[in-house]
Amino acid sequence: MPALEPTYWTVVVQDRKTGAPVEGGEGRLFATNRDRKTVANGLEATEKVGTYRTNLLFVTAGTWAMGLQFRRDSTEALIRTEDWTWQVTASNDPGEFGTP
């Protein structure tokens, strides 16, 4: 996926013990790169029970450390998943630059 383009994510959340989908939860997806640039966005429930969506806009190419936090409701602490890495490629669009 190239930098400077929105990346859309779908997250399916199930109860650890029962495997039932978790409805009405709260969470966020976030990422940080080596230069300490950070992107984050909250999860939004979809019409499918237990399924949430979000998007991130990676500002630079390179390796990003990714993480996800979620909770059933606001009375519980956020639970963090195991982190992973994501490779972002250089943008295809060099952008517009004006003359000084």
Side-chain angles (χ1 to χ4, degrees), residues 31-38 59-65:
T32 303
N33 71 1
R34 282 190 144 162
D35 297 330
R36 293 306 200 201
K37 302 270 189 266
T38 300
V59 294
T60 61
T63 303
W64 289 74

Side-chain angles (χ1 to χ4, degrees), residues 31-79:
T32 303
N33 71 1
R34 282 190 144 162
D35 297 330
R36 293 306 200 201
K37 302 270 189 266
T38 300
V39 294
N41 204 4
L43 298 175
E44 176 184 343
T46 67
E47 60 283 341
K48 189 172 179 183
V49 176
T51 303
Y52 301 83
R53 68 176 163 225
T54 193
N55 64 64
L56 292 178
L57 181 69
F58 295 95
V59 294
T60 61
T63 303
W64 289 74
M66 303 283 300
L68 176 71
Q69 291 177 311
F70 192 83
R71 61 185 173 193
R72 286 185 180 274
D73 59 54
S74 61
T75 65
E76 295 185 6
L78 286 165
I79 298 171

